[in-house]
Structures are given as structure tokens and as C-alpha cells.
Amino acid sequence: MSVDTYLKGKNLTRYARLDHDGLEIHVAPSLRVWAEHVWVDAERAFVFWKRFLIDVEHRHQPT
């Protein structure tokens, strides 16, 4: 899974935009096609940092 936190100047029109507890998530079109469910959670890893946990359930049937 790729994560890009620098979005300045990037074209995000094809991405689905989700808001989760103040966190803005842009989901790639390819992930929307082959994933049945995507779960996102965050937990504190250090004093100032958070670690994001992402779990994806693969879609087994073609769309």
C-alpha cells in the first residue's frame, strides 16, 4: 500500500474522498475496484505520532 502525505499540486479528481474523525483519506480508483471493504484505524505510536492501521478485504468476484 502506498501512502502519499504531500498532496500539493496533485490531481485528486479521480480519487474518492472520505473523512474519518478529522482525517481526510483519498482512495485510489483501483482500490475501489478490487476491494470489498477497507477499514482504517489510528493509534498513538509515540508522543506526537500516530500509526494508521489499514485492513483491506479483497473482492473475489469480478465487477
Side-chain angles (χ1 to χ4, degrees):
M1 169 108 4
S2 175
V3 175
D4 192 352
T5 58
Y6 186 75
L7 301 178
K8 186 175 181 178
K10 298 217 168 107
N11 182 3
L12 301 174
T13 56
R14 296 183 59 212
Y15 289 73
R17 184 176 171 265
L18 306 171
D19 288 313
H20 178 68
D21 293 336
L23 176 67
E24 186 175 300
I25 302 169
H26 296 270
V27 180
S30 59
L31 182 60
R32 291 172 36 202
V33 170
W34 63 258
E36 183 70 27
H37 297 284
V38 178
W39 292 273
V40 177
D41 197 8
E43 63 181 25
R44 186 163 304 282
F46 297 103
V47 175
F48 299 110
W49 297 335
K50 285 188 177 179
R51 180 172 72 172
F52 297 102
L53 308 168
I54 301 171
D55 190 18
V56 178
E57 181 181 335
H58 186 266
R59 177 177 288 153
H60 299 287
Q61 301 296 325
T63 58

